[in-house]
Structure formats: C-alpha cells, structure tokens
Amino acid sequence: MNDVRWLTEAEQEIWRAYMGASTEFAAHIDRQLRRESGMPMAYYEILVRLSEAEGRCLRMSDLAAASLSSRSRLSHAVNALEKNGWVERRPADRDRRGWVCRLTEAGYAALSAAAPGHVTTVREKLFDVLTPEQLETLREIGLAISAGLRSDCDRARDEDEQACSSADPGDEGLDAGDETGEDTCPSTLGAAPALSVADGGPR
C-alpha cells in the first residue's frame, strides 16, 4: 500500500473538523424536527421536494433522485408518511408501470407547521455563526464536493434502478421504469406554492 496518499496532519484536522461538524449538525437538525414536529429530517426533505413540485407530486423514481435516497429506502419512508396521511401514492395515469407520490393537504399543513422551527434552527446554527465570506466559501465547497461525487452517485442510482426494475411495480409503489417521459401528475391538481426562501418557507 505504498501508493496510498495518506493524509497529512493538517489534512486530518480538516477532515475531522468537516466530519464532526456535518455529523453533529445533521443530528441536531434531525433531533429538532423529531422533537418539535414528529418527523425525522429524511421525511421533512421528502415533503419539501413534493411541495416544490408541480401539482405537489412526483414519480417515485424522481422523488428518490431529488431527495438523494435509494428507491427502496424512499418506499419505506413513503409508507410511513402514507400512514400519517401526509402523502398518497397511486399508479401513474399514463404509464401503469410507474407510481406517483402526491403531497396531501394534511402533509402540506404538517410541513408548513414544521418549517418555522426548522428554518430557525438552520439560521441559528449555520448562518448566524459564519461570516458572509465564510458562507460563500461554504457554498463553493458544497458545489465542488457534489461535482466530484456526481459520477459515482449517478452510477449508484443506476445500480439501484436495475435492482428495482425486476420488482413488482405494485410492491411498495416502486417505479418499474419510465420510458415515456410524459408528465404523469394530473394537471387538475394545480401547482402548489413552493415553500421557498421567497415566500418564507422551509428553504
């Protein structure tokens, strides 16, 4: 293993500082959401993605990609959200092999109630402790890391797609494929106002 590029002492300090901060921050956000809103961060992220989508709905495969989750893990989360009445899942209208997940009015209300506490925590523990220059650097660092991981993450998602493609589409509402490229969210639902920075929502 002579070709291993071992970390220097300074690099180890950077790595451990990054890992410690990101792990502790994620855990703190998760605890806050569970304590105040009864949902983990992963569920909150799913509700946010649906709230920002046209018609408040997405195909399961698109929702998995947007929430950076495997489709199998997403399906288990959606099962729990369905039991709460926060989402509903059904076969896609134009592609019977696909499934659509829609945010319900109860789910939108739960998200709207959770958003103020979540945003306050993010602001207090991230934006209020960093300077504007540090925040800009953090943004650039995040984009650079994501860009470096993109090909590996895309490959992992492709592998997940292949693993799920042989599953029964009716089993836990997994997509079996999407070759039509058509919008399968009913236009009669209308576009929900996204909970974004512009309108004071979760982002």
Side-chain angles (χ1 to χ4, degrees):
M1 300 184 65
N2 292 331
D3 58 343
V4 175
R5 298 171 60 199
W6 298 107
L7 300 183
T8 65
E9 183 175 347
E11 289 171 335
Q12 286 190 52
E13 290 180 1
I14 294 171
W15 168 241
R16 289 171 181 171
Y18 166 76
M19 281 297 295
S22 60
T23 300
E24 290 174 359
F25 187 78
H28 181 76
I29 292 294
D30 189 73
R31 285 193 301 269
Q32 177 271 323
L33 280 168
R34 288 177 185 271
R35 181 177 62 251
E36 297 182 11
S37 305
M39 70 177 80
M41 180 62 192
Y43 292 6
Y44 181 88
E45 183 65 20
I46 291 170
L47 298 183
V48 167
R49 296 299 181 179
L50 290 172
S51 78
E52 295 174 340
E54 183 178 358
R56 299 184 189 175
C57 68
L58 287 170
R59 293 185 69 99
M60 287 289 288
S61 55
D62 293 336
L63 182 56
S67 57
L68 304 180
S69 174
S70 68
R71 288 199 294 162
S72 57
R73 180 174 297 178
L74 173 70
S75 185
H76 289 298
V78 169
N79 282 341
L81 291 170
E82 276 189 306
K83 291 178 182 178
N84 284 345
W86 292 348
V87 303
E88 56 186 23
R89 182 170 39 182
R90 57 172 177 72
D93 292 338
R94 303 175 190 173
D95 180 2
R96 303 305 294 181
R97 297 168 301 167
W99 286 74
V100 165
C101 183
R102 185 177 75 87
L103 181 67
T104 65
E105 290 298 328
Y108 191 81
L111 177 62
S112 297
H118 170 67
V119 171
T120 297
T121 301
V122 170
R123 180 166 295 283
E124 290 178 349
K125 302 304 180 183
L126 178 65
F127 291 92
D128 288 351
V129 301
L130 299 177
T131 66
E133 293 77 17
Q134 288 173 325
L135 288 170
E136 177 59 24
T137 299
L138 181 62
R139 184 186 72 84
E140 294 174 357
I141 289 171
L143 292 173
I145 292 175
S146 294
L149 289 169
R150 186 163 297 123
S151 60
D152 291 314
C153 291
D154 288 345
R155 183 165 56 251
R157 279 193 289 269
D158 289 342
E159 292 172 355
D160 183 52
E161 289 282 327
Q162 294 172 7
C164 292
S165 64
S166 60
D168 180 357
D171 182 14
E172 300 188 85
L174 292 172
D175 277 350
D178 181 9
E179 298 178 358
T180 64
E182 296 178 328
D183 177 14
T184 57
C185 293
S187 58
T188 55
L189 288 176
L195 294 177
S196 63
V197 171
D199 56 22
R203 296 298 185 192

